[in-house]
Amino acid sequence: MSIQGYDEELRSERGYVAGLYTRLDAERARVKGEYTAALRGTGGTPMERDDQVRASAKEVKRLDLGDNGLCFGRLDTLSGEHSYIGRIGLFDEANEYEPVLLDWRAPASRAFYVATAASPENMRRRRQFHTRGRQVLDFTDEVLGRPDGDERGDAALLAAVNAPRGDGMRDIVATIQAEQDEIIRLDHPGVLVIEGGPGTGKTVVALHRVAYLLYTQRERMERHGVLVVGPNPAFLNHIGRVLPSLGESDVVFVTTGDLVPGLSVTAEDTPEIARLKGSLKILDVLAAAVADRQRLPERPVSIELAGVTVRIDAETAEWAREEARASGLPHNEARAKFTEIVTWVLTERAIGRIGRGWLTRDDRKAWEEMRADLVKELADDDGFAAALDELWPVLTPETLLAPLYMSPDRLSAAGADPALSRADGDAWTVSDVPLLDELVDLLGRDTAVDQAAEQERKAAIQHATGVLDNLVGREDSMDDEDHLFATDLLYAEDLAARFVEQDTRDLVERALADRDWTYRHVVVDEAQELSEMDWRVLMRRCPGRSFTVVGDLAQRRSAAGARSWDTMLEPYVPGRWVYRSLTVNYRTPAEIMAVAAALLAEFAPGVQPPESVRACGVQPWSRRVTADDLPDAIEEFVRDEAGREGTSVVIGPPGVPGTVPASETKGLEFDAVLVVDPERILADGPRGAAELYVALTRATQRLGVLHQGPLPRALAGLTQTGTPAGVIP
C-alpha cells in the first residue's frame, strides 16, 4: 500500500470514529429518563440500555486509538499475499468480515515479532511504518529468508529507544522483541515473575501481556477487570496510557497505599517500623488487639429492668465471650452472640425475681411472654447499650488500630513491639494499609448498618408497590380485556431493585469503591518492595491467583521487601509460579550503564547487570561543588535541559531544594538526569545503595553528578568536568 493510500484509509477511519461519537451521544440522550419510563411499564429494561451505552463508549475509545496510528506494520508471505498489523483488529463487514487489520495479539501476527532472516516463518518481507499520530512519515523493509541475512533488523527499535522521551510511557507494540514476545504470549494460568535490570522493558512487557490476556481470555476477564499495582502515583501516571493505547480500558491503577477504599496514603515509616508491620508476625498482634477489646467488667454493671436490679458480672461476660468467640464469626458479627447470652442471663434473673412466688418455669407461655417484654426493654436501655459498647464494642479498622498505636498498655497486651507506639495514631502510612485491610476481615461488618440497609431496601419496595398500585388503578378503567397490567410486566421488588441498583459508574470506578471487588488478573510492578502483608492483600483481591509480577531484587529498598521470589510466592501458589528474566537494556546507554554496573558490583556482587543495546556517544560526568554553589549548578542544568527536546529530572537526598528522591522516579525514564550528593544517598546503607542505582539508571541520553564531598569510589568511572570559581578543587 502506498503512503497516499494509507492516508486515504485513515481519513475514512476518522469519519467512522466521528460517526460513532454521534451515535453514542444519541444513545446517552435516550437513556435519560429511561427509569421514569419503566414506572409506566413502557420501554426497554434500563439496565440493558446502560449496557448498550457502555459498549458504544468502549468501541469509541477502541477506535479512537487511530490518533496513535492504528497500523504499524505489514507482512508479505512467500506466496505474495500480505496483511497489515495494528494495535487492534478491524474487519470488513460488507465482505464476510474479511480482516482489514490484524490485531497484534492474533496468532497470525506473531511472525511479525519472531521472524528472522534465518527463520522467516514463511514470510518474505516485514515492513514497519514510521508514523506521527495518523501521519505516515516513512517505512522500512526487511527482506526475510536470505541464507546470508542478519537476524531481525533493529532500525525501528533503535529509532524508538533513541527518540526523546515524552510525558508518559509509550507502547512497544511496533518493536516487540522475540524474548519479550515469548513472555507476553506465555500460556501460564498462575503467577509469572518477570525479573530484569533497569531499562529491560519489564514493565511495558507486563502491560502488553495484560492486553494479550484480555484479548485471548476476554469473556473470563472483562467483567472483573485487571488490577495494576505500582510504586507511586507518578509511575502510574507514566504508564497509564499504554493499555488504553492498545484498546484496553477496564484496568484499575493503584499504589499499595490505595488498596483500601477511601484511603490514599503516601507517607512511609522508618525501615525498622516498615519491617515490623510488613512481617506476618503482625497478624498475631492484630488478633490479640481485637481480643483485648472483648473485655470483662472489673466490677459488676448494674442494669435496672422492670423495677429490679440485675448485674452483668465477670462470670456472665466470660461465658458470653467464650460463646461469641466459639462462633467463629468476626468480632462485630459475633457481638450478636455475646449480646444474646448476656440478655438471656439478665432476663432470666429478672423473671426469677419479678415472678417470685407466682410464676414458675412450668408456665412456659407466661415466662416467655415476660421475657419478650424484658428483651424489648433492654434493647431501649441506654445503660445496657453502654455496657455492651464497653465490653464488646463495635469496631472499625481505624478505631482499633489508632488507639492501639497510641496506648503502650494496649500494645503490650497485644504482644506488639513498643517501637510501634506513636502519638498520632491515625496518621496512616503505606505500611498501615495492609493492616487496615486485614482488620476488615477480622472485625467483619457492623450488623446495625446491614439492618439499616435492609430497611432501606424494604422501604424502596413499599414505594414501588404504591406506584404500581396507582398504575393498576388507572388501568382498571380500561375496557380492553386483553390489556396487560403493569404488575403483569413488573414486580415491585424488580422495580425497586432497578432504582436502588442503578449504577452508571464504569468498571474502574466501581472496583475502586468496593473493598470486596475481585480481579481476574493482577500486575504488580516493583514487586520486590512489597511486604508479606502486602501480598496478603493482593491475594485476597485475586482468588484465582493469576498474576504478572515484575521486579528486580537488586533494586529493593524496603526493609520489608522480597529477598527471594520463592519466599513471597510459594505460600500462596506452591508450584504454580514460573520465572522469566529479561537481560537486554533498551533504555540505558552503555556509557551510563558502565557507571551503574560498578555500583551494582559493590552492593550486589552476585547480580549480573543487563547488557545495553546501544551507546549514545555522550560520557556521563561529575563535578564537585560547594554548598553555596550547589543551587546555581542545579539551575544551570535545568536551564540547559529546558532548551533541549525531551525530559529531565534532578534526583537527590531528602532536604535538597530542587530535587526529587530516587524513590519517586522508580520505573520512570528521562532523557537527562542530574544526581545530587550521591555520597549522602549512599549513607543510608543498603537502601541508599539501591536508591543510587535507581537514580543512575533513569537516563536514556545524558547523566551528570554534582557532589560536595568526595566522590564515592563506585562512581570513579564518571568524567570529571572543569571546576569553575568557588568550586572545591
Side-chain angles (χ1 to χ4, degrees):
M1 179 187 293
S2 67
I3 292 179
Q4 179 182 357
Y6 184 74
D7 281 341
E8 288 174 357
E9 283 203 1
L10 288 178
R11 281 197 295 273
S12 174
E13 176 204 318
R14 280 197 294 271
Y16 179 61
V17 173
L20 272 178
Y21 273 117
T22 301
R23 282 158 41 200
L24 177 61
D25 289 340
E27 287 194 21
R28 282 174 171 158
R30 285 197 298 272
V31 166
K32 188 175 182 180
E34 192 75 32
Y35 285 86
T36 303
L39 282 173
R40 302 187 180 96
T42 62
T45 303
M47 294 304 289
E48 292 176 357
R49 181 71 72 191
D50 287 346
D51 290 341
Q52 293 170 10
V53 172
R54 289 193 184 105
S56 295
K58 183 172 293 186
E59 180 69 3
V60 167
K61 290 180 181 178
R62 196 176 79 96
L63 288 174
D64 205 29
L65 296 171
D67 287 335
N68 301 310
L70 281 181
C71 181
F72 55 79
R74 170 176 148 173
L75 277 174
D76 295 357
T77 67
L78 293 175
S79 62
E81 298 177 347
H82 64 262
S83 56
Y84 291 92
I85 316 297
R87 286 178 167 79
I88 61 174
L90 292 177
F91 300 89
D92 185 353
E93 297 181 12
N95 190 22
E96 298 182 351
Y97 288 89
E98 183 74 16
V100 176
L101 188 65
L102 285 177
D103 193 299
W104 68 274
R105 298 164 287 191
S109 300
R110 192 164 190 266
F112 185 81
Y113 300 108
V114 300
T116 64
S119 302
E121 302 285 328
N122 294 319
M123 297 297 159
R124 180 175 62 87
R125 181 174 60 184
R126 171 173 42 229
R127 172 172 292 175
Q128 290 185 287
F129 296 105
H130 308 299
T131 63
R132 179 178 292 129
R134 294 173 179 269
Q135 181 182 5
V136 180
L137 303 177
D138 193 8
F139 62 83
T140 57
D141 281 346
E142 296 174 63
V143 178
L144 305 171
R146 292 178 176 174
D148 58 345
D150 296 328
E151 290 297 292
R152 179 179 176 182
D154 58 4
L157 174 64
L158 291 178
V161 297
N162 281 315
R165 265 44 186 178
D167 293 332
M169 180 179 283
R170 296 165 293 188
D171 65 60
I172 59 168
V173 66
T175 58
I176 293 173
Q177 301 300 291
E179 71 166 355
Q180 297 172 330
D181 184 77
E182 179 186 355
I183 294 173
I184 289 169
R185 298 175 192 265
L186 184 65
D187 183 16
H188 179 70
V191 176
L192 167 64
V193 176
I194 306 173
E195 184 163 25
T200 53
K202 53 188 179 293
T203 295
V204 74
V205 166
L207 295 175
H208 283 66
R209 174 170 167 76
V210 168
Y212 177 77
L213 292 175
L214 285 167
Y215 177 80
T216 57
Q217 304 176 30
R218 191 166 301 280
E219 184 176 349
R220 184 182 75 86
M221 296 180 64
E222 193 171 40
R223 292 185 65 84
H224 286 256
V226 172
L227 177 67
V228 176
V229 182
N232 54 62
F235 172 82
L236 295 179
N237 183 61
H238 179 66
I239 69 172
R241 66 183 62 180
V242 173
L243 284 168
S245 77
L246 300 174
E248 306 299 346
S249 57
D250 291 335
V251 181
V252 178
F253 293 88
V254 298
T255 68
T256 53
D258 304 324
L259 285 170
V260 173
L263 288 180
S264 185
V265 182
T266 58
E268 294 187 355
D269 282 306
T270 63
E272 177 59 18
I273 298 301
R275 185 188 64 78
L276 291 172
K277 292 180 181 179
S279 168
L280 292 181
K281 294 178 181 178
I282 200 71
L283 292 172
D284 293 333
V285 172
L286 296 179
V290 173
D292 184 54
R293 300 297 292 271
Q294 301 163 356
R295 311 299 292 259
L296 303 180
E298 295 181 359
R299 290 183 295 274
V301 179
S302 298
I303 304 293
E304 295 297 323
L305 187 58
V308 300
T309 300
V310 290
R311 293 177 175 82
I312 306 175
D313 51 29
E315 183 180 8
T316 298
E318 185 174 16
W319 176 32
R321 185 173 70 175
E322 289 177 356
E323 291 295 321
R325 289 176 175 175
S327 71
L329 294 171
H331 170 85
N332 289 333
E333 297 169 34
R335 174 180 160 117
K337 174 61 70 174
F338 180 86
T339 302
E340 176 189 336
I341 300 289
V342 173
T343 299
W344 187 87
V345 171
L346 295 186
T347 54
E348 279 288 302
R349 291 173 179 172
I351 293 171
R353 295 178 186 178
I354 295 170
R356 184 173 298 160
W358 63 272
L359 180 63
T360 67
R361 291 184 182 275
D362 293 336
D363 190 352
R364 297 302 305 169
K365 182 177 180 182
W367 192 284
E368 292 304 326
E369 287 177 350
M370 182 175 292
R371 184 193 303 282
D373 292 338
L374 294 176
V375 168
K376 292 179 182 178
E377 185 176 340
L378 270 180
D380 295 331
D381 188 283
D382 292 340
F384 182 61
L388 290 177
D389 288 341
E390 177 65 25
L391 300 177
W392 198 287
V394 174
L395 297 169
T396 67
E398 293 82 1
T399 58
L400 181 127
L401 198 57
L404 176 67
Y405 288 150
M406 297 170 64
S407 170
D409 290 340
R410 282 180 171 162
L411 284 172
S412 176
D417 193 304
L420 295 177
S421 177
R422 67 187 190 207
D424 50 348
D426 59 354
W428 306 122
T429 66
V430 173
S431 301
D432 289 322
V433 172
L435 277 59
L436 292 167
D437 189 74
E438 189 76 34
L439 286 169
V440 172
D441 287 344
L442 283 176
L443 297 176
R445 299 180 181 276
D446 182 349
T447 54
V449 173
D450 289 344
Q451 291 171 359
E454 178 63 17
Q455 291 175 354
E456 182 179 350
R457 189 185 71 85
K458 289 180 178 178
I461 293 174
Q462 185 176 4
H463 173 71
T465 302
V467 172
L468 289 174
D469 288 344
N470 288 335
L471 288 174
V472 171
R474 289 197 293 271
E475 292 168 341
D476 282 342
S477 61
M478 297 180 181
D479 295 330
D480 186 358
E481 295 181 356
D482 294 329
H483 177 74
L484 290 175
F485 293 133
T487 48
D488 294 324
L489 302 173
L490 200 62
Y491 290 106
E493 290 85 351
D494 297 332
L495 183 58
R498 289 180 182 175
F499 283 95
V500 173
E501 296 173 8
Q502 180 184 3
D503 192 346
T504 59
R505 298 173 300 171
D506 62 20
L507 181 144
V508 173
E509 293 172 313
R510 288 181 285 128
L512 282 172
D514 185 356
R515 183 263 175 184
D516 295 324
W517 188 279
T518 57
Y519 299 88
R520 287 294 182 263
H521 191 76
V522 176
V523 176
V524 187
D525 209 322
E526 300 293 345
Q528 73 277 355
E529 307 297 348
L530 270 62
S531 69
E532 293 175 314
M533 289 297 294
D534 289 325
W535 281 109
R536 282 181 64 86
V537 179
L538 295 180
M539 292 296 170
R540 277 194 287 270
R541 299 296 190 271
C542 187
R545 303 293 195 262
S546 178
F547 283 74
T548 299
V549 176
V550 181
D552 179 10
L553 295 177
Q555 295 187 57
R556 180 182 61 83
R557 60 182 293 273
S558 172
R563 287 171 170 78
S564 76
W565 302 119
D566 182 83
T567 301
M568 288 298 187
L569 297 175
E570 195 64 21
Y572 301 105
V573 284
R576 285 191 59 222
W577 67 278
V578 296
Y579 176 90
R580 295 291 185 273
S581 63
L582 293 170
T583 59
V584 178
N585 189 329
Y586 300 100
R587 175 208 301 147
T588 316
E591 296 89 342
I592 296 176
M593 197 60 218
V595 176
L599 174 65
L600 182 67
E602 284 201 357
F603 79 92
V607 178
Q608 184 71 24
E611 181 180 355
S612 295
V613 75
R614 66 190 174 97
C616 66
V618 179
Q619 291 298 322
W621 56 267
S622 67
R623 181 192 304 170
R624 191 171 186 180
V625 297
T626 65
D628 291 339
D629 290 328
L630 180 60
D632 290 339
I634 294 175
E635 179 59 30
E636 177 186 349
F637 169 83
V638 172
R639 187 170 55 250
D640 181 58
E641 289 299 329
R644 299 173 183 262
E645 188 178 7
T647 60
S648 62
V649 70
V650 182
I651 302 174
V656 178
T659 70
V660 299
S663 59
E664 293 185 12
T665 67
K666 296 202 75 170
L668 307 183
E669 55 185 26
F670 306 87
D671 291 270
V673 172
L674 179 67
V675 179
V676 176
D677 287 343
E679 66 277 18
R680 287 180 56 192
I681 298 175
L682 273 177
D684 199 12
R687 173 174 173 168
E691 292 207 338
L692 182 57
Y693 182 61
V694 169
L696 295 174
T697 54
R698 298 307 94 192
T700 66
Q701 302 291 344
R702 300 175 295 280
L703 172 68
V705 173
L706 297 176
H707 57 105
Q708 299 181 66
L711 191 68
R713 182 183 60 183
L715 304 186
L718 292 168
T719 300
Q720 291 283 338
T721 67
T723 54
V727 174
I728 300 174

